[in-house]
Amino acid sequence: MSTEPDHFRSSTSSFGALVRLLKYARGYRRRIIAASACSIINKLFDIAPEILIGVAIDVVVNQETSFVARLGFESAQEQIVMLGVLTFFIWAGESIFEYLFQVLWRNLAQRLQSDLRQDAYEHAQRLDMSFFESRSSGQLVATMNDDVNQLERFLDGGANAMIQVVVTVLAVGAVFFVLSPLIALLAFTPIPLIVWGAFYFQRKAGPLYADVREKVGDLSSRLSNNLAGIATIKSFTAETREAERLREASEAYVTANRRAIRISSAFIPVIRMAILSGFLATFTVGGMMALRGDLNVGAYGVLVFLTQRLLWPLTGLAQVIDLFERAMASTRRILDLLATPVQVHDRGGRDLAETVRGEVEFAKVSFRYANSGEGVSDVQLLVPAGHTLALVGATGSGKSTLIKLLLRFHDAQSGDIRVDGQSIRELNLASLRGAIGLVSQDVYLFEGTVRDNIAYGRPDASEEDVIKAAQTAEAWSFIQALPDGLQTAVGERGVRLSGGQRQRLSLARALLKDPPILVLDEATSAVDNETEAAIQRSLAKIGHGRTVIMIAHRLSTIVHADEIAVIHGGRVVEQGRHAELLAHDGRYAAQWRVQTGAVESGALAIE
């Protein structure tokens, strides 16, 4: 166990996140250098007018013996004109470089946040399904959206502010030590206290802002879940309860922010007193030296003006650190997502043959989920090309797990799965999944039109092909009755369509893809008898010459399957055709009797 204090680990993690961010941003190095250079030059121009004021005072007081006179400008009038011209160019330079650093930093912020979000999303798409099964979608959305925006806000202003504070200290410090080393020491005395205070508050604020980011994710998750489940909330009249739960999540976010704000807000009052001591030292000691003649009057003016220029910007460290801590807390979450290892690797292996026969073999396949321990064990099944395999069994027996393994949503822990004799581990994922059409019980339609959803697997499909797929899936008749036909908007997740209509669109989507292997995961379990009959007619048409693997609870839908496998406890316990399994008088036969009314429904052999 680490014995480091919490505040040390917090500081290290914040700067560790910055180092990780800089490594990620290697491709932006030139832009970062250009933006930083403009920030530095702008700040050098920014502090120059204070120096010119001191020089102008020196001209007025000493005239022909002033510092400027030694540069060849003899009369005081010439010196003032020269200072005026120089002031114009300094202000112009400051304005130009302020424009440049703002454009560069803001464009960098926009480009980096866009690329980070895109990279995070693309990486998330490559992660296996177990990652999504263990993560809240709201947390992921908060990471890809709110956390990325938090980093963007820091790059918009905080990065420039940090650079300019450092430049101010170095540049002004150099002028101080040239003019008066004694006053320089006095003026710089508060800086160690200010810097220590900045890091102290940063260490205190770090864990608090990490908690703030977590609360943002929780709040996003709550909103996402409630909006997705609004129909259920309404049906149970749970609006008040859910509003209260959202209020609790929102209050937790407010409380987390309040703790962080309390720490960051205390910084400025403390630092103000440290700044006052440095300013008073310059003001009084420098004044006394000027009165004694030990310090030029113009130099004294420069020192007084630059003391404020040196110390007052340090009060901005509070806001800079606030932005920095928020950004680094967000950066850690983003980069942690990017660092999440991909378990199912697409090694860019072989493609399936141009003509896929569709033979599927599960060769002693075993897999267990890490969290539940459920899965399948030593499954041996062979589906010849063009045949239909039906999988039956109780919920949680492992039927859907076999489908997920076939699609490589997970990788089998032992054994192998082969398509046309080739191990699916050796195939690239696009080739494997391109050969399989999935129709799931939980149909997901994307927001868009009916046509968009049918053509999801083939966006370039012709209108004729889309209509043909819809007709084969027995969806065309209801599509024609919709207000805008194929151009009818389905709404988010297809809420404007019935369950049966969504299911038939899902089947049409799979058919348009024209896969040699069609997987039906309880595709008729949630539809009415009329829709089921329509889907069964469709399956009778499309099953010829195509390998079909179907999961079904209604045994009446699979009586014509070439092979039926009964899965129990993750193992194949019975296998054969419908008549053979009835004659065997095992689990399948018992369930058949229950579903056909031959026995009381309490005696469930499969369920």
Side-chain angles (χ1 to χ4, degrees), residues 283-298:
F283 186 78
T284 55
V285 174
M288 294 298 180
M289 292 176 65
L291 290 173
R292 290 197 306 267
D294 297 334
L295 182 66
N296 183 284
V297 174

Side-chain angles (χ1 to χ4, degrees), residues 392-395 555 566-568 587-592 604-607:
V392 298
T395 300
L555 302 187
V566 179
I567 312 295
H568 179 73
R587 290 179 175 273
Y588 181 85
Q591 184 64 18
W592 176 260
L604 300 182
I606 291 181
E607 296 295 338

Side-chain angles (χ1 to χ4, degrees), residues 16 24 27 52 111 133 142 149 151 160 179 185 239 271 273 299 312 317 329 336 339 342 363 384 489 494 555 562 597:
Y24 171 84
L52 291 181
R111 185 72 268 153
E133 291 162 0
N149 290 340
L151 177 60
N160 170 72
L179 295 179
L185 290 173
E239 292 92 339
I271 300 308
M273 301 312 296
W312 282 113
L317 277 176
D336 285 348
V342 176
L555 302 187
D562 298 299

Side-chain angles (χ1 to χ4, degrees), residues 27 36 46 60 199 225 292 351 414 423 474 478 481 484 500 551 606:
S36 300
D46 183 48
V60 172
F199 282 102
N225 288 338
R292 290 197 306 267
D351 288 336
S414 65
S423 172
E474 298 214 14
F478 86 77
D484 298 310
I551 296 173
I606 291 181

Side-chain angles (χ1 to χ4, degrees), residues 505-544:
L505 286 190
S506 176
L507 182 58
R509 179 165 60 190
L511 294 178
L512 183 62
K513 185 179 178 181
D514 193 25
I517 302 169
L518 181 63
V519 175
L520 305 171
D521 188 356
E522 300 187 38
T524 63
S525 63
V527 298
D528 56 41
N529 292 333
E530 182 181 350
T531 303
E532 180 186 359
I535 292 176
Q536 289 303 317
R537 289 194 298 270
S538 301
L539 295 178
K541 298 176 187 176
I542 65 178
H544 297 295

Side-chain angles (χ1 to χ4, degrees), residues 246-260:
L246 180 63
R247 185 178 293 107
E248 289 174 2
S250 183
E251 284 300 317
Y253 172 59
V254 171
T255 301
N257 252 316
R258 185 183 296 124
R259 288 194 293 265

